[in-house]
Amino acid sequence: MQKRDQWTSNIGFVLAAAGSAVGLGNIWKFPGKVAANGGGAFIVVYLVIIAVVGFSVMLAELALGRNANKNIVGAFASINKKFSFIGKLGVLTAFIIASYYCVVGGWVLKYIFEYITGAAFAGGYSDYFVGLISSAAEPVIWQFVFLALSIAVILRGVSSGIEKVSKFLMPILLVILVAITVRSLTLPGASDGIALMLNFDFSALTFQSVAVAMGQAFFSLSLGMSIMVTYGSYLKKNENLVRSTASICTIDTMIALLAALAIIPAVAATGTDMGMGAGFAFIALPAVFAEMPFGFFFGLLFFVLLFFAAFTSAISIIEGVVAYASEEFKLTRKKATIIVGALAFIVGIGYSLSQGAVSLNIPWFGEAGSISLGNFMEFFTDNLALPLGALLTCIFVGFIWKTKNAAAEIEQDGKFAFKLKGAWDIAIKYVCPIVLAVILFYTLVLGVGLS
Ligand code: PHE
């Protein structure tokens, strides 16, 4: 049995977990969703969901991981073998997300390259982006570069790879984001965007926006799959899980709010349409930057920011799968990392090609009757597998492992006070499962999130 690596410090762990949480979801999904769902009122709902549901599930996942000191499948199996399928679902979800996340990460790298070389996006941003993602070879090359960088960090191990990189990149990420926010807020016309963020008209909130906020919260906190269980398993027993969970949730939420403050006013100031999806980060925003003074510089900064955010998230998603592969199949970490990386690369090529180079469609019950492989991968993971994984995890922790045993892992013989234990028990057993079931219902019955 190989010796398991551990985080060397609490701050290193918190930054690595925050690095996982802070990703593409915070920087471009969140601001777009705020704008599309009415602004301030949506933000308030989101904050409540993070504090009640997100916090509770993250604490449960970290406790589960640390208790077992194993990868996610091993963690479920160590309590009850029959439920190791929940861990396997988590690994599958992580693997699919890893595959496509690296493709998007590759696009980000290509944009940085374009800014640095001054090639300046020939043909306009829209044609440029569509041309890039629908070509066959180029995105795959960038995907490879992005994946290779992530794998290089994972190969160095948990403490000297993942922890070191996160400790270095996360503070820089924050500084860049603050710089872009200040630039954006001082643009003439920024006040329209600020007004939107302060629009607390709760009557305009629909049930659907609440479901969107819930889905966003889970994705943003990297819950519902192997990551937080795996990261928790590298924690020492003398760390305070409640405090760490609160720190990770706070950092993730602060960065999402800052991103909204950076992006919404800038978009409003230039009168750009607040479209959603990939096009928003890759088409609308570069155009916004191009219109402001020193725009080229801020455009470059923005994509470096996006890269840092995506990079630490990609590392965490791959790590969850690598930990499983190496421990459950008794492979060396090195072998497991290379195999997982190679497989993710192959599946990612499918995602990349389905963006336009080749028509790869999957039959589905949505309106169009079929969706592209790429959309299917995103939809299956973000909208189905993540909430389902989180739902099963709550039921498992609440009723199979039992919250009192989880609380004992958190409290460590009374070493750490856990004042909210009673409330947490109710949240894990009842509130979170109901909330998650509602998200799943919306997705399956009404097709929310199906594009
Ligand atoms: N939390 C990351 C984000 O907001 C994405 C992510 C999702 C990372 C799932 C890992 C797992 O972009």
Side-chain angles (χ1 to χ4, degrees):
M1 181 82 183
Q2 306 166 57
K3 194 175 166 313
R4 286 187 107 240
D5 206 350
Q6 284 193 324
W7 308 112
T8 58
S9 64
N10 185 260
I11 179 84
F13 157 67
V14 167
L15 288 180
S20 169
V22 173
L24 298 171
N26 302 57
I27 315 283
W28 59 268
K29 274 196 190 169
F30 182 72
K33 287 184 181 172
V34 169
N37 289 283
F42 178 83
I43 295 180
V44 172
V45 171
Y46 180 80
L47 293 179
V48 172
I49 293 172
I50 292 276
V52 178
V53 187
F55 174 87
S56 304
V57 177
M58 185 180 289
L59 183 58
E61 292 197 6
L62 291 174
L64 182 62
R66 188 175 70 178
N67 171 70
N69 194 23
K70 286 199 172 102
N71 69 85
I72 185 170
V73 175
F76 279 96
S78 72
I79 288 161
N80 187 329
K81 277 221 162 49
K82 274 197 231 130
F83 291 87
S84 60
F85 75 92
I86 306 177
K88 289 185 184 149
L89 174 71
V91 172
L92 175 72
T93 315
F95 176 75
I96 299 176
I97 297 186
S99 311
Y100 77 71
Y101 218 79
C102 292
V103 178
V104 180
W107 301 342
V108 174
L109 279 181
K110 167 68 181 169
Y111 267 57
I112 294 176
F113 181 77
E114 190 80 353
Y115 270 107
I116 291 177
T117 55
F121 307 95
Y125 296 105
S126 180
D127 286 355
Y128 179 84
F129 179 63
V130 175
L132 170 68
I133 66 170
S134 60
S135 53
E138 192 170 11
V140 174
I141 296 171
W142 288 103
Q143 172 206 355
F144 181 81
V145 176
F146 185 89
L147 185 64
L149 290 172
S150 315
I151 294 247
V153 174
I154 294 174
L155 280 177
R156 302 205 51 150
V158 175
S159 52
S160 32
I162 303 176
E163 183 173 347
K164 277 220 175 94
V165 166
S166 310
K167 261 190 189 131
F168 176 69
L169 292 185
M170 293 306 287
I172 308 181
L173 181 146
L174 183 63
V175 172
I176 298 180
L177 186 54
V178 169
I180 299 179
T181 309
V182 171
R183 168 67 282 193
S184 170
L185 287 176
T186 50
L187 288 172
S191 53
D192 288 355
I194 300 171
L196 175 70
M197 288 188 66
L198 295 176
N199 170 23
F200 296 112
D201 178 6
F202 285 91
S203 63
L205 265 189
T206 60
F207 212 55
Q208 177 173 339
S209 339
V210 179
V212 168
M214 291 178 194
Q216 171 69 20
F218 276 90
F219 184 82
S220 190
L221 292 175
S222 307
L223 297 175
M225 41 185 245
S226 46
I227 296 176
M228 290 301 165
V229 177
T230 310
Y231 273 22
S233 76
Y234 301 133
L235 264 176
K236 299 195 176 105
K237 295 282 184 197
N238 63 356
E239 304 284 2
N240 186 336
L241 287 183
V242 179
R243 213 185 48 206
S244 303
T245 306
S247 309
I248 301 163
C249 292
T250 307
I251 298 176
D252 186 62
T253 307
M254 260 178 40
I255 302 261
L257 289 176
L258 261 180
L261 258 186
I263 288 168
I264 294 176
V267 171
T270 49
T272 314
D273 181 22
M274 197 79 191
M276 285 221 285
F280 179 64
F282 293 97
I283 300 171
L285 280 181
V288 168
F289 287 118
E291 276 184 45
M292 58 171 81
F294 305 107
F296 202 72
F297 173 68
F298 282 98
L300 173 62
L301 266 191
F302 176 77
F303 281 96
V304 171
L305 169 78
L306 212 50
F307 169 66
F308 287 177
F311 188 47
T312 43
S313 295
I315 290 171
S316 73
I317 316 177
I318 303 172
E319 170 62 31
V321 186
V322 166
Y324 162 72
S326 73
E327 292 173 15
E328 299 296 313
F329 297 101
K330 312 264 178 290
L331 302 171
T332 60
R333 259 187 75 91
K334 191 169 163 196
K335 233 191 216 157
T337 309
I338 305 276
I339 293 175
V340 170
L343 291 176
F345 180 60
I346 295 170
V347 176
I349 292 177
Y351 176 84
S352 185
L353 291 179
S354 80
Q355 303 298 314
V358 179
S359 160
L360 288 169
N361 284 325
I362 301 227
W364 189 253
F365 57 75
E367 269 169 35
S370 76
I371 58 174
S372 77
L373 174 69
N375 283 349
F376 178 76
M377 285 166 74
E378 286 177 48
F379 175 74
F380 173 77
T381 50
D382 302 4
N383 300 71
L384 288 179
L386 282 184
L388 182 63
L391 173 65
L392 294 172
T393 304
C394 289
I395 293 175
F396 180 82
V397 172
F399 299 100
I400 310 291
W401 186 23
K402 302 223 170 9
T403 33
K404 71 171 188 321
N405 295 318
E409 171 63 39
I410 294 165
E411 291 174 312
Q412 294 292 318
D413 291 328
K415 195 158 162 200
F416 301 110
F418 185 17
K419 291 199 200 84
L420 294 172
K421 193 160 60 177
W424 182 69
D425 175 64
I426 296 171
I428 286 295
K429 282 193 194 140
Y430 310 107
V431 180
C432 301
I434 292 172
V435 163
L436 286 156
V438 169
I439 304 183
L440 279 169
F441 172 81
Y442 256 81
T443 306
L444 286 173
V445 178
L446 303 175
V448 173
L450 191 59
S451 44

